[in-house]
Amino acid sequence: MKKLVMSIALAGALLVAPTVSEATVKMGDRGASVTELQQTLASKGHNSASNVDGVFGPMTLRSVQSYQRSTGISSPAGNFFGVAGPATLSSLGLSSSGSSTSTASSSTSSSTSKSTAVAGTSTTSSNSGVISTARSLVGSPYVWGGTSPRGFDCSGFIQYAFAQNGKSIPRTVSQMWSAGSSVSSPSTGDLVFFETRSGPSHAGIYIGGNQFIHSGSSTGVTISSLSNPYWSKTYMGAKRL
């Protein structure tokens, strides 16, 4: 009888024992789990230390893929290539509970609720979110007329970064120039404009430290300096939307 009771108890324990969570950290996620993932990948040489912002964008996707290829966890032919699931998280020594990660379509308050400082310049929570989104898209290709991470033109990139943070702005560079309020010197989150052809024809988002992020026709989404001879020569001014 004792053996029967023990067998029943053991079977019950097995039935209620917690299983490994199937939570994943994937493209579009934000939060502490993404930050932890980015930091761990950076410590293993698969991510840039500058790409630790709590936003799972294209750069983090490539970092995860690089790690998965190097460890044999997944490959371009795999169904979960670029998704940090239980196997990837466990290999990195991270918890796979994933309870602190939220999707980009849900609230972005965790990444935008605090003001941040970029090169000594304070930003509002709204601008902080725009900058965070813009940085997560570095490396996206340039596509004429493009308005998504698959490819952006310069104004499509700016409009997308603002739209992801709840702000609707005009579509074209000339419309943005007309809609904005001129400022004598840009603050983080302002738009900077350039006359690469006649009139305002290129624009980017100022991120502080005399730098701006933009989608260049030969570079895709990248960070450039206003001190660069080409950009300083064509610079028209800054506007605030």
Side-chain angles (χ1 to χ4, degrees), residues 30-120:
R30 297 169 180 264
S33 292
V34 179
T35 300
E36 188 177 23
L37 173 64
Q38 292 170 329
Q39 291 171 335
T40 305
L41 287 169
S43 71
K44 295 182 179 295
H46 292 274
N47 186 41
S48 168
S50 63
N51 181 43
V52 179
D53 56 6
V55 179
F56 198 126
M59 291 181 69
T60 303
L61 175 67
R62 289 193 290 272
S63 297
V64 171
Q65 291 172 337
S66 172
Y67 179 75
Q68 289 175 330
R69 278 194 302 263
S70 70
T71 57
I73 291 174
S74 189
S75 69
N79 291 331
F80 300 101
F81 188 50
V83 174
T88 301
L89 296 175
S90 177
S91 175
L92 288 166
L94 301 175
S95 166
S96 60
S97 61
S99 60
S100 60
T101 303
S102 60
T103 60
S105 60
S106 63
S107 171
T108 59
S109 61
S110 62
S111 62
T112 62
S113 60
K114 295 182 283 186
S115 294
T116 58
V118 179

Side-chain angles (χ1 to χ4, degrees), residues 115-124 127-128 131 185-190 206-211 240:
S115 294
T116 58
V118 179
T121 304
S122 296
T123 69
T124 64
N127 282 346
S128 176
I131 299 301
S185 59
S187 295
T188 304
D190 289 341
Y206 188 71
I207 61 174
N210 212 37
Q211 294 184 315
R240 187 164 298 157

Side-chain angles (χ1 to χ4, degrees), residues 2-4 8 15 25 27 31 35 40 93 113 120 138 152 155 168 190 199 221-222 237:
K2 265 186 189 178
K3 287 184 179 179
L4 178 60
I8 293 172
L15 287 172
V25 186
M27 186 73 167
T35 300
T40 305
S113 60
V138 168
F152 292 106
S155 57
S168 177
D190 289 341
V221 178
T222 189

